[in-house]
Amino acid sequence: MRQTVAALLLATAMGPLWAASCGDAHTPVSDVQGRGGESPMAGRQVTVEGILTVDARQPGGFRGFYLQQALAEQDRDPVTSEGLFVHTRAREGEPGDRVRVRGEVREYYGLTSLTNVRRVTTCTSPGLPAPTVLQPGPLPEGGHEALEGMLVQTAGPLAITDTWNLSRYGELVLATSLQWTPTQRLEPGAEAQALLARQEQQRLILDDGLRKQHPRPIPYLSDDESPGNPLRVGDRVAPITGVMDYRFGNWRLQPLTRPDIHHTNPRQMPPTRHREANLRIVSLNLGNLFNGDGQGQAFPTARGARTHAAYQQQLARLSSQIRATNPDILTVSELENDGYDGNSALAELARAIGDHWRYVEGGTDRDDDVIRNALLYRSDRVQPTGPATLIEDGAFRQWHRPALAQTFRRVDGEAALTVIAVHLKSKSCRDAPPAQQDRRDGQACFAKARELAARALGRWPLSDGRGEDHRVLLAGDFNAYARETPLQVLGDTGYTDLIAHFHGLEQGTFRYHGRLGTLDYHLANPALMERVKASHIWSVNAEEPRLSDDSATTDTDVPEASPWRASDHNPVITDLRL
């Protein structure tokens, strides 16, 4: 680039050069774009002139550049765009140049562009046009279509609300503020759905200007950063200038220069144990831990890592994360359902955590699901009392993984509590029968199945003959956000959502499509509640970019022993005095 971006933007004061034409009459860019939707000139040969703004002809780029109508020639209609993508390999022109282009108008998956370009002529170099400022709130008349291909600038800092495609496509999802799943804070229904629609309007994808997958180095990680110190959801991006673009089904911003990112949500170490507590319970969705045949073979498996090496790295990160939380009792979900012998995934996990760790043998899990729940415990601190119970009747006969219940006592005490490891049916709509389909209230599919399971869990201590004075902790992945029906049902039964009790509803264990919320819970019944001292979420997974958990494709160097992003769910941690 011959000039700095600042110099190019300042060059807009040069006045007469804006209107200087390259040659004979040409078609206004706004006429090519039309008033939203498909171009009225699709399939026609046209000649356009304008300022080359962002050049995407670099190796791996979009094979073209963005052109914007000179200021004096714009139609002043707020609904029509003054920008256009020119698909060409011709090398003429640099950002800030006025160019003349002849080619054919095409619609390419929603993007209006000029293709089959016959020639590109550089005329003058007036500098970049002043960007249109994107104000927070509702979109202007014409929406994003009115800004397609034009230089824009965000009015202020934006929050990073999703990093899911950072390492795969070089994308960050930005919004005016961190976005929460609507039913995390609102009851299911019309208001929650309206919030979802508003959130979509407030989003913008920050792209890297490349069309290739798995870009290396990973964009937007600064030179002094590495996968050991990445950006995170909740960090903020300084105002950005770039071109409004439409590709791969989404509106996105192709920046002029690398934006400044401020690390406003730094990593935190796990919470320390409450000074009055003598028992810590941790629950974690393992993100599909499958160990093949337990002897280094039989990869890829039904889920999880595709190679033994990737599995070893996954296990190392998970065990590092679990040890960092220092639990006495551990509940896990998304574990391979392969029995209890020494080659099972459960046995290998126990060995990886440490010498004192043992696991509960919960009877025979159903063989119609490849994953299960499990309970592990430190044998030098706690001991199981009586046999485990597998809750697999009634509402648990279908859809859900059987819940596993086990009573424990500290090795130096008599007081007991029962921990029930839970994993309810996901929100995925695959194979959902009519009664379980999405009711469009924000709870997605299988909401009725999760409600019935919650009612069964609420009745369980009494139906099992344990009585109301029996201390019970429900722990695991409920696949329901804090204001959804299962949590309301259990609340009505007397269970307390410990995270909401201590910290409120704006907490997150899982991020889906860039929205945070709690799917994972510790729920204490009244008999246990008086023993609870603290409860926390450790933000070690859901806020982190997935630099290494796409084990089939990643080549990112992440230390095996790192606890960060070991799963896609954050662990829940509760301290008790028993």
Side-chain angles (χ1 to χ4, degrees):
M1 187 180 292
R2 287 197 302 247
Q3 307 173 58
T4 66
V5 171
L8 288 168
L9 290 172
L10 287 172
T12 59
M14 298 178 68
L17 290 175
W18 276 98
S21 176
C22 295
D24 298 330
H26 54 270
T27 302
V29 171
S30 55
D31 287 356
V32 175
Q33 285 283 5
R35 294 176 63 86
E38 183 173 331
S39 170
M41 295 187 176
R44 293 174 53 181
Q45 290 283 332
V46 299
T47 298
V48 298
E49 288 186 17
I51 312 302
L52 194 161
T53 55
V54 171
D55 195 338
R57 293 174 289 186
Q58 74 273 32
F62 298 136
R63 298 177 181 172
F65 58 81
Y66 299 86
L67 177 148
Q68 184 165 328
Q69 193 79 64
L71 180 62
E73 299 168 323
Q74 294 182 8
D75 66 0
R76 303 297 192 269
D77 184 345
V79 179
T80 59
S81 168
E82 307 289 346
L84 183 67
F85 181 72
V86 179
H87 186 269
T88 181
R89 296 191 181 189
R91 299 310 307 169
E92 290 82 3
E94 294 187 10
D97 287 348
R98 180 182 176 109
V99 296
R100 182 181 180 90
V101 185
R102 182 164 181 79
E104 180 183 348
V105 180
R106 288 277 184 89
E107 287 289 332
Y108 184 75
Y109 293 101
L111 174 71
T112 303
S113 62
L114 214 59
T115 63
N116 298 323
V117 172
R118 296 183 178 182
R119 59 183 176 272
V120 177
T121 304
T122 301
C123 305
T124 57
S125 296
L128 294 175
T132 299
V133 177
L134 287 178
Q135 298 292 346
L139 289 173
E141 184 183 3
H144 286 120
E145 287 277 358
L147 300 170
E148 181 182 320
M150 294 179 62
L151 273 182
V152 298
Q153 184 180 59
T154 57
L158 296 175
I160 297 174
T161 197
D162 197 11
T163 61
W164 181 257
N165 281 327
L166 176 60
S167 67
R168 187 171 185 184
Y169 296 118
E171 299 174 357
L172 294 174
V173 179
L174 309 179
T176 52
S177 61
L178 192 66
Q179 292 189 336
W180 297 91
T181 299
T183 50
Q184 179 68 19
R185 299 187 295 178
L186 299 173
E187 290 186 3
E191 187 178 356
Q193 292 298 83
L195 174 58
L196 185 70
R198 291 196 301 273
Q199 288 176 340
E200 287 295 319
Q201 291 291 311
Q202 296 167 356
R203 289 178 158 212
L204 191 62
I205 295 177
L206 177 62
D207 208 348
D208 64 348
L210 301 174
R211 57 186 175 83
K212 64 181 181 179
Q213 292 191 33
H214 308 292
R216 295 296 183 268
I218 298 172
Y220 308 123
L221 297 182
S222 64
D223 294 338
D224 60 349
E225 288 177 326
S226 69
N229 183 31
L231 54 80
R232 285 162 48 94
V233 167
D235 287 346
R236 298 187 71 80
V237 180
I240 314 162
T241 299
V243 165
M244 183 67 71
D245 190 28
Y246 185 82
R247 293 180 191 274
F248 311 113
N250 289 291
W251 290 101
R252 51 193 68 226
L253 190 63
Q254 307 293 349
L256 279 176
T257 59
R258 178 194 179 94
D260 292 328
I261 298 176
H262 303 288
H263 297 285
T264 52
N265 185 28
R267 287 173 168 174
Q268 303 290 334
M269 297 308 293
T272 57
R273 190 177 295 223
H274 191 279
R275 64 183 181 277
E276 297 179 12
N278 61 7
L279 186 70
R280 169 166 280 194
I281 301 172
V282 174
S283 62
L284 176 62
N285 182 313
L286 299 174
N288 292 308
L289 183 65
F290 281 60
N291 75 337
D293 63 1
Q295 302 178 67
Q297 303 298 319
F299 288 93
T301 57
R303 297 191 185 185
R306 300 190 186 181
T307 67
H308 184 245
Y311 161 72
Q312 288 179 308
Q313 188 184 63
Q314 179 190 19
L315 180 63
R317 294 199 312 274
L318 283 168
S319 56
S320 173
Q321 186 174 115
I322 291 167
R323 287 194 299 269
T325 63
N326 190 25
D328 303 309
I329 299 171
L330 172 68
T331 81
V332 297
S333 56
E334 290 196 10
L335 175 73
E336 185 176 9
N337 185 14
D338 62 346
Y340 296 96
D341 66 25
N343 289 327
S344 67
L346 177 56
E348 195 159 0
L349 175 62
R351 290 193 295 269
I353 299 173
D355 292 340
H356 295 290
W357 280 92
R358 305 291 183 267
Y359 52 87
V360 173
E361 295 194 23
T364 303
D365 284 323
R366 288 202 311 256
D367 59 6
D368 60 352
D369 201 326
V370 296
I371 59 174
R372 67 174 176 195
N373 312 319
L375 278 163
L376 301 94
Y377 59 96
R378 275 199 59 150
S379 60
D380 59 331
R381 298 177 182 174
V382 297
Q383 290 291 333
T385 300
T389 301
L390 204 62
I391 305 172
E392 55 182 348
D393 295 329
F396 284 86
R397 193 181 304 279
Q398 192 178 21
W399 312 124
H400 315 287
R401 291 88 200 171
L404 178 62
Q406 176 65 62
T407 301
F408 293 95
R409 286 189 173 88
R410 282 179 45 84
V411 294
D412 58 355
E414 293 298 323
L417 87 158
T418 296
V419 180
I420 304 180
V422 177
H423 189 192
L424 301 187
K425 182 71 176 72
S426 76
K427 295 174 176 288
S428 170
C429 291
R430 182 170 41 179
D431 300 327
Q436 300 295 344
Q437 289 179 3
D438 193 344
R439 296 178 291 192
R440 305 298 179 188
D441 62 354
Q443 298 190 90
C445 290
F446 292 98
K448 188 63 177 179
R450 290 189 293 273
E451 176 187 347
L452 294 176
R455 294 189 185 281
L457 289 170
R459 294 190 300 266
W460 182 80
L462 293 176
S463 63
D464 197 55
R466 311 252 174 163
E468 294 182 352
D469 59 346
H470 191 77
R471 304 179 191 93
V472 178
L473 182 75
L474 305 177
D477 181 355
F478 287 72
N479 271 308
Y481 293 103
R483 298 300 301 278
E484 294 185 9
T485 304
L487 278 301
Q488 304 308 310
V489 165
L490 287 165
D492 292 343
T493 309
Y495 280 90
T496 298
D497 174 355
L498 296 181
I499 293 299
H501 175 78
F502 285 102
H503 305 285
L505 292 176
E506 290 192 357
Q507 301 293 316
T509 66
F510 189 71
R511 184 179 76 248
Y512 182 69
H513 285 186
R515 296 174 178 85
L516 279 169
T518 48
L519 292 183
D520 309 83
Y521 299 89
H522 283 180
L523 306 172
N525 74 344
L528 179 64
M529 192 61 201
E530 63 185 20
R531 305 283 184 134
V532 177
K533 300 300 179 182
S535 192
H536 307 275
I537 293 171
W538 184 22
S539 299
V540 64
N541 293 323
E543 289 75 11
E544 297 274 321
R546 55 170 189 157
L547 302 183
S548 62
D549 62 353
D550 186 6
S551 56
T553 55
T554 186
D555 57 4
T556 305
D557 182 18
V558 177
E560 286 189 1
S562 168
W564 304 97
R565 191 66 192 191
S567 174
D568 53 352
H569 291 243
N570 288 332
V572 182
I573 302 167
T574 293
D575 293 337
L576 311 163
R577 184 160 191 85
L578 197 61

